[in-house]
Amino acid sequence: MSIQFHKETFRGDYSFHNSERAIKRFPFPFDKDSYMYAVNMEQHRGGPADSIYEKRFDVDEHYISEMDDRAMVLADDPLRCQSLPHMTLAGWDLLELIMVSKSEDYPDLFELHRNGDQWRWINKPLGIDDSFTFMDETTLPYGPMEYITRQTQGDFCVLDQRDDNLWMDAGMVTTQADWSLDFDIGMNFFEWHAPVPLAHEKGIFVRALKFLLNIQQGAPARRLNWTMTVNPLLDTSPENYHKWGIQKTTLTPENIAAKQHLRVELQTFFRLPRSNALVFPIRCYLCAFQDLMTVPKWGRRLHRVIRDLPVELATYKGFIDNRPMMLDYLSQFDDGQPTSLGIWPDLDTEPPLKSA
Amino acid sequence: MSKFEFPPSIKSRPVWGTLEARAGKHHLMIADAEGAEAILGIATPELMANTHIIYIPAGTDYAARLSALKPAQFYEGPSYAAAVTRIQRVLQDAHMGLQVYLTGTEGLMGQAMHEAMQAGIPHTAIQTEHRGSVARRMQCVHCKGITENVETDPFVCSHCGLNLFVRDHYSRRLAAYQGVCIDAEDPGNVPEPKGIYE
């Protein structure tokens, strides 16, 4: 199906909204009624038709507006995109991976024509038609990683692999859940995850790193992660926290349904062929509480997960102060009925909400 | 002066060691203030015969005692900023077999480690020992400005003036800890500053 791209904002008047289709395909991150950290990796080899898992790099109705927002973030702060000098080859690898994937997966939107190292890239939604020489930086308006990630939804971390570790040596990071590429660039896997509570003690990062070091070309992996955001703000960066932090205090029982968003990251992992780097796209999906509640299963489950989440996690994810108000709202959508396993909405099989 | 025991922390926070004389053709020792004591602790005439000491007294009076060790080269500088080009020049000439020793404040060790890493020496091959002040070198995550010698939490960014809390999250590349606005969600509600380890 063709995608109707929205003209919308992720700041100021926050005109961002999800269509009914987008709500149904939202990556609800909880496969059962409770949550604790887990490595929860699976192969990224497609998924149900029209789900966010179907394509290698999902393109949705927010594409053009998300790219506009990224351009604004970069104009304000160019340090959101950085690449250490040894990472340029990995940038070309990434450009190739995305151009090939998108032109194969969305032939009506993207075209790639290759004649030796003479490439032509057509991006119809963004109105781009560029010819360039593959591996020659002087023929592109930006470095290869920046060029292609200005045209691809989601943040991108490009990880160098050496000394049995992964190193955050390049990235495009404008839609992050409160971490700074500028601060973390150059760190290894354990260092950039250092501030995460509980997971180190559970051995999560040791196991996750082992898994990631062994990812092979052509066999990408994926997992979901989540947090909470007040207003559909993509740029929840530490750099701008002194500006957006105050928005967390604007939640009221009257506006919480529309203002409070579940923020889900689809994290994927691809081995890159020439550099042996690992690219780690972190794609952000936002959904307002009121839209999530249109799926009875998700209403029941979100209430239970948020209610039972350990204090450390609610604090780390930044919503401990707002949790009581969230629970007041969410409890209206939990009638105590059991829920089916798995993340899918199961609209045809799950019972509607029983009125109190 | 006794050594400060840093409390256990997160994995990005550096863990400082204890200097020991290692076998090597050349030895580069970079220190500030009470770091002199760590050098005095391991110095032998044989070691000093192949040692270059770069020392920033920072108001202390150890310089004469270090100089009296008769190192092959001795430099006393007024500040790290004044010494850094010399450090870079010395590291340019570093050959296999150079041993690097850093001791003193975290700011000194972190910045000198950054230079050594730029010169291709892995950080795991560099010896360190913390001595003296426990003040931190902090980067403001908002304006990116570095504030040196931060002793309290919270503190005021010396560049943009925001009230920042002191995180343990540390960047070797920046040689700095991260400072984040403490009153973003409640402007003006800034706790009374206290010592970082109090």
Side-chain angles (χ1 to χ4, degrees):
Chain A
M1 68 181 289
S2 71
I3 303 166
Q4 300 298 312
F5 296 109
H6 294 187
K7 186 71 193 157
E8 60 192 358
T9 55
F10 300 87
R11 55 178 76 202
D13 63 354
Y14 291 109
S15 62
F16 164 88
H17 61 286
N18 282 308
S19 68
E20 204 179 314
R21 169 180 177 251
I23 296 167
K24 287 209 179 85
R25 73 199 296 276
F26 183 76
F28 189 75
F30 308 112
D31 64 347
K32 53 182 184 294
D33 288 353
S34 62
Y35 174 80
M36 182 31 80
Y37 288 127
V39 178
N40 67 318
M41 289 287 185
E42 61 179 12
Q43 294 300 314
H44 183 39
R45 250 188 263 157
D50 200 39
S51 74
I52 61 136
Y53 288 151
E54 187 183 12
K55 313 292 193 191
R56 285 165 282 187
F57 296 91
D58 183 46
V59 176
D60 70 7
E61 63 197 27
H62 309 297
Y63 176 49
I64 296 175
S65 293
E66 283 188 30
M67 294 301 95
D68 288 346
D69 193 74
R70 166 157 293 163
M72 284 187 258
V73 172
L74 290 170
D76 286 346
D77 182 2
L79 294 173
R80 302 300 187 83
C81 180
Q82 295 191 52
S83 177
L84 297 182
H86 60 281
M87 296 303 283
T88 304
L89 182 62
W92 284 110
D93 277 335
L94 177 61
L95 174 144
E96 177 187 53
L97 174 68
I98 293 175
M99 287 185 177
V100 169
S101 301
K102 280 189 162 180
S103 59
E104 289 175 357
D105 293 350
Y106 299 92
D108 53 331
L109 301 180
F110 306 96
E111 290 176 27
L112 178 64
H113 303 280
R114 288 180 283 186
N115 179 11
D117 63 0
Q118 298 305 301
W119 292 26
R120 180 177 171 205
W121 166 245
I122 301 172
N123 178 335
K124 292 178 189 167
L126 295 185
I128 291 168
D129 182 344
D130 283 338
S131 294
F132 61 97
T133 305
F134 187 68
M135 301 285 262
D136 180 352
E137 275 185 88
T138 63
T139 61
L140 284 176
Y142 306 99
M145 177 189 73
E146 179 168 356
Y147 177 78
I148 197 59
T149 57
R150 278 177 176 265
Q151 303 178 42
T152 310
Q153 288 165 278
D155 284 347
F156 287 81
C157 301
V158 188
L159 314 177
D160 195 26
Q161 182 160 332
R162 58 181 193 273
D163 303 335
D164 289 326
N165 213 323
L166 293 168
W167 301 81
M168 176 85 68
D169 285 348
M172 165 68 90
V173 178
T174 66
T175 66
Q176 66 282 60
D178 207 5
W179 66 279
S180 167
L181 172 74
D182 180 55
F183 195 80
D184 288 0
I185 194 169
M187 290 189 189
N188 72 34
F189 190 75
F190 299 114
E191 291 167 346
W192 88 69
H193 285 117
V196 182
L198 305 180
H200 292 273
E201 294 82 343
K202 289 175 183 292
I204 297 286
F205 292 123
V206 173
R207 269 178 287 151
L209 177 62
K210 266 188 192 155
F211 181 92
L212 294 173
L213 290 174
N214 286 306
I215 284 183
Q216 305 294 310
Q217 246 194 87
R222 68 184 175 216
R223 69 185 288 265
L224 297 175
N225 196 12
W226 67 280
T227 188
M228 292 285 178
T229 304
V230 175
N231 292 328
L233 174 64
L234 281 177
D235 178 27
T236 48
S237 59
E239 277 82 357
N240 285 331
Y241 169 64
H242 59 304
K243 298 175 189 161
W244 61 262
I246 193 75
Q247 295 183 22
K248 290 205 247 174
T249 67
T250 62
L251 221 51
T252 66
E254 291 70 43
N255 67 23
I256 188 169
K259 247 185 181 328
Q260 181 63 57
H261 289 68
L262 178 60
R263 182 187 192 102
V264 176
E265 295 175 351
L266 169 62
Q267 305 182 343
T268 49
F269 305 87
F270 297 81
R271 178 70 60 196
L272 297 176
R274 298 170 188 78
S275 57
N276 198 43
L278 197 69
V279 65
F280 172 20
I282 307 168
R283 171 68 176 277
C284 172
Y285 294 86
L286 294 163
C287 193
F289 270 19
Q290 63 189 12
D291 291 339
L292 290 169
M293 295 305 112
T294 62
V295 177
K297 171 179 166 180
W298 292 352
R300 294 181 180 106
R301 180 164 290 168
L302 189 60
H303 172 248
R304 296 167 197 177
V305 168
I306 299 306
R307 180 190 64 200
D308 300 338
L309 195 73
V311 170
E312 293 96 320
L313 291 193
T315 304
Y316 173 67
K317 290 177 185 287
F319 64 88
I320 189 76
D321 292 345
N322 286 332
R323 176 152 73 170
M325 204 192 301
M326 287 180 185
L327 291 176
D328 281 347
Y329 173 77
L330 294 172
S331 62
Q332 307 168 66
F333 301 91
D334 186 358
D335 53 15
Q337 296 197 69
T339 54
S340 58
L341 280 178
I343 65 172
W344 306 106
D346 298 335
L347 282 164
D348 296 335
T349 49
E350 286 290 278
L353 181 69
K354 260 196 263 180
S355 45
Chain B
M1 186 173 166
S2 64
K3 284 179 66 175
F4 182 77
E5 287 288 331
F6 291 102
S9 184
I10 61 175
K11 287 180 186 289
S12 58
R13 194 216 192 291
V15 177
W16 312 111
T18 302
L19 298 189
E20 56 179 62
R22 284 193 187 154
K25 278 195 282 196
H26 300 281
H27 305 268
L28 175 62
M29 300 186 181
I30 305 174
D32 69 353
E34 284 86 359
E37 293 178 346
I39 294 178
L40 291 165
I42 60 166
T44 59
E46 299 73 43
L47 180 64
M48 286 297 126
N50 297 306
T51 294
H52 183 166
I53 295 178
I54 292 178
Y55 182 63
I56 295 122
T60 62
D61 56 4
Y62 293 94
R65 288 167 65 193
L66 287 179
S67 168
L69 296 172
K70 297 203 182 343
Q73 276 177 275
F74 181 74
Y75 164 81
E76 179 186 341
S79 67
Y80 181 80
V84 68
T85 51
R86 180 185 179 101
I87 291 169
Q88 289 163 345
R89 178 69 186 83
V90 172
L91 286 166
Q92 244 178 40
D93 284 349
H95 295 293
M96 291 292 284
L98 173 76
Q99 295 284 353
V100 178
Y101 307 73
L102 311 176
T103 177
T105 61
E106 294 195 276
L108 177 280
M109 289 190 287
Q111 291 177 88
M113 181 176 287
H114 173 78
E115 294 302 333
M117 287 165 62
Q118 291 295 110
I121 302 172
H123 71 93
T124 46
I126 299 167
Q127 289 197 70
T128 59
E129 181 167 339
H130 174 264
R131 293 283 183 133
S133 164
V134 295
R136 294 187 182 189
R137 184 175 143 87
M138 301 293 308
Q139 190 206 35
C140 171
V141 75
H142 310 291
C143 80
K144 308 295 182 186
I146 300 265
T147 303
E148 304 280 353
N149 296 316
V150 171
E151 291 178 330
T152 64
D153 178 19
F155 70 102
V156 176
C157 175
S158 63
H159 301 265
C160 70
L162 284 174
N163 295 294
L164 306 179
F165 70 93
V166 171
R167 292 186 81 190
D168 278 356
H169 199 31
Y170 179 84
S171 162
R172 269 195 301 276
R173 186 181 69 93
L174 299 169
Y177 292 91
Q178 190 175 65
V180 179
C181 183
I182 195 168
D183 57 341
E185 295 177 35
D186 190 3
N189 183 9
V190 180
E192 198 59 32
K194 53 181 190 159
I196 290 171
Y197 299 98
E198 280 173 33

